[in-house]
Amino acid sequence: MEIKSIGIVGAGQMGNGIAHVMALAGYDVMLNDINQETLSAAMETMARNMDRQVSREKISADEQKNALGRITTTTTLTNLGQTDLVIEAATERETVKQAIFEDLIPHLKPSTILTSNTSSISITRLASRTDRPERFMGFHFMNPVPVMQLVELIRGIATDEATFSACKTVVDRLNKTAASAEDFPGFIVNRILMPMINEAVYTLYEGVGNVKSIDSSMKLGANHPMGPLELADFIGLDTCLAIMNVLHDGLADTKYRPCPLLTKYVEAGWLGRKTQRGFYDYRGETPVPTR
Ligand SMILES: CC(=O)CC(=O)SCCNC(=O)CCNC(=O)[C@H](O)C(C)(C)COP(=O)(O)OP(=O)(O)OC[C@H]1O[C@@H](n2cnc3c(N)ncnc32)[C@H](O)[C@@H]1OP(=O)(O)O
Ligand SMILES: NC(=O)C1=CN([C@@H]2O[C@H](COP(=O)(O)OP(=O)(O)OC[C@H]3O[C@@H](n4cnc5c(N)ncnc54)[C@H](OP(=O)(O)O)[C@@H]3O)[C@@H](O)[C@H]2O)C=CC1
């Protein structure tokens, strides 16, 4: 089945990045969020990110105009029912994702493929609550979506080959690279990346280093493009904590216990860049470490 239209649920940093690349690749995109302001902010972010691509001659002004014209926004979830492929990119909480799929199901075409951009939650469990586990899978983009090359494709226990192949065709059309991962907590990237970030928070918690020395050490000593605490702020500390909890619960091993300092930042509402404060304070000209 050929995918022509794509519904995206959640217009946060991942949702707007996914809409951006899908529209540039020629898909009709319908972007949904519970918040009209979030939808307006997402359209502004996409226009700004495409402006930068035009100024660097990665895309033409016409391509930008056509891509932005292919995106419609809606606060009514059920409007996504007639799209060919739905990518759920709402907050990393299983109850939120389940409620979205439950509300959407009565309005879907029989052929619509359902996917989730979840960073860690069981695809098989999400699929089992829908009417179409064979047409359900994980479609996991990396942040920032317009820049990162990888998309993890995760089959649930019931996902059929036609669904996998339709999603793989979409990844190919985006000129990105698909990696197939089995459905275990955190899949591949976050199974490896998130314990490193959590360990960086323990290194801070135990006073082995401060925010600046930990990030500089990993940038200059291991050639990472961002230090682990800077990266945690970039991903969102709520998302990092949610992923650690899924690893901890799902793999039942104490080595995945979330650092209490990570929990404390999330309890404070210091979620990183998206709330302007996390391991760094972003409210001034340059980011200032908070510890
Ligand atoms: C949590 C999960 O489930 C999975 C995940 O996503 S894990 C997180 C994975 N992501 C990472 O690890 C990112 C690590 N960081 C990096 O790779 C780099 O720091 C970075 C690409 C984000 C920025 O790179 P940089 O060299 O410092 O900045 P800069 O030169 O300004 O930007 C490089 C390019 O990225 C673009 N870019 C940067 N931030 C962007 C953003 N937020 N959105 C869109 N484009 C962006 C720039 O426009 C620039 O594009 P061109 O090459 O086309 O000119
Ligand atoms: N951040 C990252 O680096 C990565 C994240 N992911 C995954 O992508 C998903 C989204 O993460 P991210 O974009 O960072 O998170 P954000 O917090 O930036 O965005 C989530 C968005 O979903 C909205 N939302 C919440 N509930 C609903 C709902 N019922 N219907 C529609 N929209 C809703 C939120 O609205 P409001 O703010 O009003 O609550 C918010 O706008 C998560 O599953 C995350 O694990 C995957 C790869 C990388």
Side-chain angles (χ1 to χ4, degrees):
M1 179 201 149
E2 198 196 344
I3 307 281
K4 291 189 173 144
S5 57
I6 299 189
I8 300 168
V9 186
Q13 52 182 343
M14 295 307 289
N16 85 61
I18 298 167
H20 174 134
V21 297
M22 292 296 184
L24 274 179
Y27 293 105
D28 292 324
V29 173
M30 192 176 282
L31 181 61
N32 158 262
D33 200 283
I34 35 182
N35 235 313
Q36 181 54 50
E37 293 95 78
T38 308
L39 288 169
S40 307
M43 288 306 296
E44 281 168 26
T45 303
M46 285 185 272
R48 207 171 44 245
N49 283 336
M50 286 188 204
D51 281 343
R52 208 166 45 206
Q53 289 179 299
V54 171
S55 70
R56 297 188 189 187
E57 298 182 353
K58 302 264 167 168
I59 60 171
S60 69
D62 267 359
E63 284 171 313
Q64 171 178 31
K65 186 165 159 273
N66 292 339
L68 291 173
R70 280 187 206 106
I71 305 171
T72 51
T73 60
T74 177
T75 51
T76 308
L77 176 68
T78 52
N79 288 348
L80 272 57
Q82 294 309 302
T83 58
D84 301 326
L85 167 69
V86 171
I87 304 177
E88 172 281 311
T91 313
E92 185 73 349
R93 209 171 308 132
E94 190 160 343
T95 49
V96 170
K97 295 183 185 298
Q98 272 170 1
I100 288 169
F101 290 124
E102 270 161 31
D103 290 349
L104 200 50
I105 282 164
H107 306 275
L108 291 176
K109 295 192 290 188
S111 58
T112 301
I113 293 176
L114 289 181
T115 66
S116 175
N117 184 53
T118 177
S119 297
S120 59
I121 297 169
S122 165
I123 297 302
T124 300
R125 204 161 58 232
L126 287 174
S128 73
R129 303 280 295 256
T130 73
D131 63 342
R132 58 194 70 202
E134 69 289 350
R135 276 197 302 289
F136 190 108
M137 62 182 288
F139 205 130
H140 184 210
F141 286 86
M142 306 297 133
N143 187 13
V145 180
V147 180
M148 303 301 282
Q149 189 57 39
L150 185 80
V151 180
E152 274 184 299
L153 291 179
I154 306 115
R155 291 180 176 90
I157 203 165
T159 308
D160 65 23
E161 266 322 294
T163 299
F164 183 86
S165 137
C167 291
K168 170 76 169 57
T169 302
V170 174
V171 177
D172 292 343
R173 183 154 152 198
L174 298 175
N175 280 324
K176 294 195 184 286
T177 303
S180 175
E182 291 299 320
D183 183 25
F184 290 100
F187 319 124
I188 296 174
V189 171
N190 284 322
R191 174 75 177 265
I192 299 168
L193 177 69
M194 216 38 78
M196 184 202 71
I197 287 179
N198 193 47
E199 203 58 34
V201 186
Y202 269 111
T203 309
L204 178 67
Y205 177 63
E206 291 168 9
V208 182
N210 59 28
V211 168
K212 200 157 177 275
S213 62
I214 292 167
D215 275 350
S216 307
S217 297
M218 294 307 286
K219 279 200 282 193
L220 304 179
N223 251 5
H224 290 195
M226 287 176 166
L229 300 172
E230 185 188 359
L231 181 57
D233 275 359
F234 183 62
I235 292 168
L237 303 190
D238 53 339
T239 302
C240 292
L241 179 60
I243 297 168
M244 283 313 298
N245 279 323
V246 169
L247 291 175
H248 193 221
D249 296 345
L251 298 166
D253 190 327
T254 55
K255 76 177 174 181
Y256 298 111
R257 68 209 184 286
C259 179
L261 186 59
L262 179 60
T263 306
K264 198 188 285 295
Y265 271 77
V266 173
E267 284 170 351
W270 293 14
L271 306 182
R273 278 184 194 232
K274 63 182 162 186
T275 57
Q276 297 212 321
R277 219 174 341 177
F279 293 113
Y280 294 84
D281 187 334
Y282 299 92
R283 290 171 300 170
E285 287 266 294
T286 47
V288 179
T290 52
R291 284 176 98 83

